[in-house]
Amino acid sequence: MNKITAAITAVGGYVPEDVLTNKMLEEMVETNDEWITTRTGIKERRILKDPNKGTSYLGIQAAKDLINKSGVDPEEIDMVILATATPDMPVAATGVHVASEIGAVNAFAYDLQAACSGFLYGMSTGAAYIESGRYKKVLVVGADKMSSIIDYTDRTTCIIFGDGAGAVLLEPNEDGFGLQDEILRCDSIGRNSLRIEAGGSLLPASEETIAKKLHYVKQDGKTVFKYAVSNMSGVSAQIMERNNLTNEDVDWLVAHQANKRIIGATASRMGVVDEKVLMNIERYGNTTSATLPLLLSDYEKKFKKGDNLIFASFGGGFTWGATYLKWAYNS
């Protein structure tokens, strides 16, 4: 019997209609289009403005897109993993609502939080369930309504983040396609460099925390940038070396869309040419857990069966990692 690997067999994506451009941000905070574009590569981001819709709405739309394109029966889905840093609410798992709303009535579901590395961690978890032989169809969704935790008077963060969601279906493969290897890491040295200070068990919500705006993302940009460049590029090069891959062997770099300079540094370390580097940061900004599956959704038609994809991410905590995957189908 051949070894079972977890292959991506379908993808889906969704971004809200409302666009927040750099020009619009110029009217909100002291910044300008040239500064934002030069330092981040971002021109615009999508915002879910409806106050009655949360992260679950984004995840549901991405999952429905996958189901509609692939024709998979949602009742055959065994489990749903929702990677998110912005759940609808603290206790009732958002992934459960996503599963119910898409008709995955036979699945169990839960949320996974690893900041911007959430989807990569979720894909690793889903792959392990597939490789165990116990489950046949695992839906991994990355979704974040980052606008719900951004202070739009803070120019260090409001220029970066946007809202969106993406999804992949993992299924067993015995022909050598799918997830081949992964290197996942973490280090709490970054605990205070990218965080929301209040709202958890350490500092519960109060009038004081609200008044001090402690429920919004705060970031020490220079520290995050330094660690992101070093660690994301490091594990990407390491996974190539461990699997005897040259830069010619890598067909696509699927990197977390946090900053164009970080993506460029990772590609340079790997020796991968620009034409192989997937990017949509200019249109969406940093959608946190959604960046990697949104890339797959946007570029799916370019992938060919057997293509070598290297995924790379870096997020708050700090969390980071790289995954080597062989694409399993022709679009």
Side-chain angles (χ1 to χ4, degrees):
M1 183 177 176
N2 294 333
K3 178 186 176 183
I4 296 174
T5 54
I8 292 175
T9 58
V11 301
Y14 175 78
V15 290
E17 292 182 1
D18 286 300
V19 177
L20 177 61
T21 67
N22 291 348
K23 289 293 184 183
M24 294 165 72
L25 282 170
E26 289 178 5
E27 304 297 319
M28 299 164 62
V29 291
E30 186 181 343
T31 190
N32 61 74
D33 174 64
E34 182 184 6
W35 191 94
I36 297 171
T37 304
T38 302
R39 284 162 176 77
T40 68
I42 302 168
K43 281 287 188 181
E44 58 186 41
R45 61 292 289 147
R46 301 297 184 94
I47 304 296
L48 181 60
K49 288 188 174 181
D50 190 335
N52 297 312
K53 293 177 179 176
T55 291
S56 63
Y57 175 80
L58 299 169
I60 290 164
Q61 300 310 308
K64 284 182 175 179
D65 181 52
L66 180 151
I67 290 167
N68 291 337
K69 288 194 300 184
S70 67
V72 65
D73 182 353
E75 293 188 7
E76 294 181 357
I77 296 172
D78 299 308
M79 67 177 298
V80 176
I81 301 172
L82 176 70
T84 186
T86 57
D88 285 0
M89 53 188 77
V91 175
T94 304
V96 172
H97 186 53
V98 171
S100 296
E101 289 298 303
I102 64 172
V105 294
N106 296 310
F108 72 103
Y110 57 84
D111 297 354
L112 187 154
Q113 208 284 72
C116 295
S117 300
F119 181 80
L120 203 61
Y121 280 30
M123 200 160 66
S124 170
T125 305
Y129 280 107
I130 292 290
E131 291 165 4
S132 74
R134 295 174 64 184
Y135 302 100
K136 303 300 183 185
K137 288 180 170 63
V138 176
L139 183 69
V140 183
V141 181
D144 272 302
K145 185 181 178 181
M146 292 303 294
S147 60
S148 67
I149 55 172
I150 296 300
D151 176 4
Y152 284 93
T153 66
D154 178 6
R155 66 176 183 175
T156 65
T157 56
C158 73
I159 66 170
I160 298 170
F161 296 97
D163 302 339
V168 303
L169 184 67
L170 297 176
E171 295 188 80
N173 185 282
E174 294 185 14
D175 298 319
F177 301 107
L179 196 148
Q180 306 293 308
D181 195 13
E182 64 183 19
I183 302 171
L184 303 177
R185 297 286 183 265
C186 68
D187 189 339
S188 68
I189 193 171
R191 183 175 168 90
N192 294 319
S193 298
L194 179 55
R195 74 191 195 281
I196 293 176
E197 195 169 346
S201 61
L202 192 62
L203 187 60
S206 66
E207 290 185 7
E208 183 180 7
T209 63
I210 294 171
K212 289 183 176 180
K213 296 186 174 183
L214 300 182
H215 296 267
Y216 294 121
V217 170
K218 301 293 182 185
Q219 176 174 270
D220 174 3
K222 289 183 179 179
T223 299
V224 174
F225 182 88
K226 181 182 73 172
Y227 278 94
V229 168
S230 173
N231 290 322
M232 201 163 99
S233 63
V235 289
S236 300
Q238 186 181 349
I239 204 161
M240 286 175 64
E241 182 179 355
R242 196 158 84 176
N243 290 277
N244 298 312
L245 296 172
T246 67
N247 58 344
E248 295 293 327
D249 296 323
V250 176
D251 294 294
W252 305 103
L253 170 60
V254 189
H256 172 54
Q257 305 288 289
N259 182 296
K260 191 174 182 180
R261 292 184 294 162
I262 297 173
I263 300 168
T266 301
S268 178
R269 177 81 178 269
M270 297 167 67
V272 173
V273 296
D274 292 347
E275 291 74 19
K276 295 181 176 183
V277 180
L278 305 186
M279 268 199 269
N280 56 18
I281 188 171
E282 180 177 330
R283 291 179 290 130
Y284 303 149
N286 182 352
T287 54
T288 306
S289 304
T291 63
L292 298 181
L294 270 176
L295 282 172
L296 296 181
S297 179
D298 281 358
Y299 287 92
E300 180 188 12
K301 291 181 180 179
K302 287 185 174 289
F303 305 150
K304 300 187 299 294
K305 189 174 183 178
D307 277 359
N308 292 318
L309 278 62
I310 301 294
F311 292 79
S313 68
F314 183 88
F318 289 134
T319 62
W320 69 95
T323 295
Y324 167 34
L325 178 138
K326 275 189 174 294
W327 197 251
Y329 63 96
N330 293 313
S331 298

